[in-house]
Amino acid sequence: MTVRVTTLENGMRVLTDTMDSVETVSLGVWVDVGTRHEPAEINGVAHLLEHMAFKGTARRSALAIAAEIEAVGGHLNAYTSREHTAYYAKVLKEDTALAVDILADILQHSAFDPKELERERTVILQEIGQANDTPDDIIFDLFQERAYPDQAMGRPVLGRADIIGRIGRDTVADYMRSHYAAPGMLLSAAGNVDHETLVALARRVFTHLPQDRIGRNDPARYIGGDLREDRDLEQVHVALGFPGFSYGDPDYYAASVVSSALGGGMSSRLFQEVREKRGLVYAIYSFTHAYSDGGLFGVYAGTGEDEVAELIPVLCQEILRLGEGLEAAELERARAQLKAGLLMSLESTTARCEQQAAHMLVFGRPLDLGEMVARIDGVDAAAVARVASRLRTAAPTLTALGPVGRIEPYRRIAERLGA
């Protein structure tokens, strides 16, 4: 694996992860801006901007953007998260210059045509409606909102329908001008790509980016608590969790190992106890969401209206049991799962491109594979004990969606968890 990084004169960084054995290149521009950087009154503007970037520039129509990349068999897409926005493509190696040119065009010369904005506003309102109709999706927005109430980190990435309905063209354009600055942007590529050639391309086409970066928003403040929404659904969807671990936390890898052992597969504690032994659920798993200055650690389960009364105490019991540590075989299996997932991802140009971009945005440098494997292998019983202990230091967050009447009171759940 050959990873190189160059910083351009305007402050934009260019990273390549060269893979000579493939014929394709995955590349994209990652912007160090996401939902947490939005003022409350325009929540959703970062995601709306991501959509509008594909709706035409000074020299390409929306159709031309799609047609040019698809004419060479490539594809182009984007996503918005709470801390970053990414615009990415995958093409054959000989079409790298075209992909870079299109990305540079949409990120510097978007037209933000008012008619296109009205059409895309409708599309996003449909997207919000679809998310609200998908309980095992929207439960995580509710979980985020309850964990981080009344702050940017707790607001939905898609925004709220009433706000999206009134965001104007100038607001979107101004947000791009004030937030998409070269020093906060990274061009990352993995595959059959030459570093110096990509740097020269970037230097030639990324010439109209602002230089000034915005400041970071206030640190995320975990609060926790209880949020239940009674809906006429077949299942109760539950998320139960705690403040987690940032990317830079010394126990980040330990938390990932613990999460894998708790609910990361068919051999995990939750799957075996809750599904296999008790038959209470179809889907259950644990999760870790890491951010630059914090995170969340939790469990998701979907269960029946009658079964939820038994499920919640069992979840609490399994979370508390982490304080007793993991058996040697469990620990080894969890480490192996993480390492296998990491190593298997190296076969994908897209995964490597995204992984290296994330490392650069979070740590300011690419992480060597050996370093990551060593950190996973370094998770021992003491690290597991630290993670288990830290999970019990704050009030839990409980969110539930569906027929929630048989879920016991929040205070009782907190008591079960020792809070």
Side-chain angles (χ1 to χ4, degrees):
M1 181 166 60
T2 304
V3 180
R4 296 180 60 188
V5 181
T6 295
T7 301
L8 304 182
E9 292 77 7
N10 63 3
M12 185 181 195
R13 291 166 292 175
V14 179
L15 178 149
T16 57
D17 183 352
T18 302
M19 304 163 64
D20 293 332
S21 61
V22 301
E23 295 299 315
T24 62
V25 177
S26 293
L27 58 91
V29 175
W30 272 257
V31 189
D32 198 10
V33 171
T35 305
R36 74 176 302 179
H37 304 102
E38 301 168 345
E41 63 272 15
I42 54 172
N43 172 220
V45 70
H47 177 252
L48 177 56
L49 168 56
E50 171 222 310
H51 276 240
M52 287 303 299
F54 293 92
K55 296 305 169 183
T57 69
R59 61 190 177 95
R60 286 183 173 99
S61 66
L63 175 59
I65 292 170
E68 282 190 47
I69 198 73
E70 292 180 1
V72 297
H75 64 258
L76 188 66
N77 212 330
Y79 66 83
T80 304
S81 71
R82 287 187 162 80
E83 296 195 298
H84 306 122
T85 308
Y87 303 81
Y88 58 94
K90 185 167 185 174
V91 292
L92 297 176
K93 62 182 181 181
E94 57 266 27
D95 300 312
T96 299
L98 171 65
V100 173
D101 185 69
I102 292 175
L103 289 171
D105 194 19
I106 67 175
L107 292 173
Q108 296 176 112
H109 307 297
S110 285
F112 301 115
D113 179 85
K115 292 181 180 178
E116 290 285 358
L117 175 60
E118 290 310 310
R119 280 192 286 267
E120 206 58 28
R121 190 195 312 278
T122 302
V123 169
I124 292 175
L125 291 175
Q126 293 293 329
E127 187 178 2
I128 292 171
Q130 178 177 308
N132 286 332
D133 286 343
T134 311
D136 54 348
D137 183 4
I138 202 67
I139 188 69
F140 290 98
D141 273 353
L142 298 178
F143 184 77
Q144 193 84 19
E145 178 184 344
R146 184 60 264 174
Y148 298 108
D150 303 318
Q151 52 188 299
M153 188 59 88
R155 297 182 196 123
V157 171
L158 299 182
R160 303 191 188 282
D162 59 330
I163 296 176
I164 296 300
R166 62 174 182 263
I167 292 178
R169 185 261 180 204
D170 290 344
T171 299
V172 180
D174 289 346
Y175 193 84
M176 174 175 263
R177 280 193 295 268
S178 60
H179 289 73
Y180 279 41
M185 300 174 73
L186 167 75
L187 173 61
S188 177
N192 200 323
V193 58
D194 177 74
H195 182 76
E196 296 302 336
T197 301
L198 188 65
V199 168
L201 278 170
R203 186 174 281 124
R204 185 167 71 248
V205 298
F206 285 101
T207 56
H208 293 85
L209 294 173
Q211 298 290 303
D212 296 329
R213 297 187 65 186
I214 63 166
R216 298 294 295 181
N217 280 25
D218 293 337
R221 296 171 288 103
Y222 176 89
I223 303 297
D226 187 31
L227 194 162
R228 309 178 192 200
E229 185 175 321
D230 196 8
R231 284 196 193 180
D232 184 15
L233 300 173
E234 292 296 322
Q235 280 199 312
V236 186
H237 299 266
V238 175
L240 175 64
F242 311 87
F245 304 79
S246 71
Y247 285 112
D249 193 294
D251 286 326
Y252 168 76
Y253 285 91
S256 298
V257 169
V258 169
S259 178
S260 183
L262 177 64
M266 293 174 65
S267 62
S268 68
R269 290 183 172 188
L270 288 175
F271 194 94
Q272 286 297 311
E273 181 65 30
V274 179
R275 174 170 163 158
E276 297 296 275
K277 293 183 181 179
R278 298 173 183 260
L280 294 175
V281 303
Y282 172 71
I284 187 166
Y285 56 85
S286 58
F287 59 86
T288 57
H289 295 166
Y291 306 114
S292 59
D293 58 351
L296 294 169
F297 183 108
V299 172
Y300 162 82
T303 191
E305 181 178 3
D306 294 333
E307 289 80 4
V308 71
E310 181 182 352
L311 171 68
I312 297 297
V314 175
L315 292 182
C316 295
Q317 171 188 310
E318 290 302 319
I319 291 169
L320 280 180
R321 199 159 68 88
L322 291 174
E324 301 171 9
L326 300 177
E327 295 180 2
E330 285 183 295
L331 180 56
E332 181 56 35
R333 185 166 58 241
R335 288 193 299 233
Q337 285 179 311
L338 288 179
K339 287 188 291 185
L342 176 62
L343 293 170
M344 289 177 185
S345 73
L346 297 180
E347 299 176 2
S348 163
T349 59
T350 300
R352 284 169 67 154
C353 174
E354 185 167 16
Q355 182 186 86
Q356 294 295 355
H359 292 164
M360 285 296 298
L361 291 175
V362 173
F363 302 109
R365 65 180 180 89
L367 295 188
D368 179 76
L369 173 63
E371 179 181 354
M372 290 185 283
V373 169
R375 292 187 182 187
I376 294 171
D377 282 335
V379 176
D380 56 14
V384 170
R386 286 196 305 272
V387 169
S389 177
R390 289 176 63 178
L391 292 178
R392 299 195 300 270
T393 60
T397 296
L398 172 73
T399 55
L401 184 64
V404 299
R406 297 198 62 190
I407 300 177
E408 60 188 13
Y410 173 79
R411 178 172 294 182
R412 176 61 180 139
I413 295 171
E415 289 173 351
R416 288 185 183 278
L417 292 165

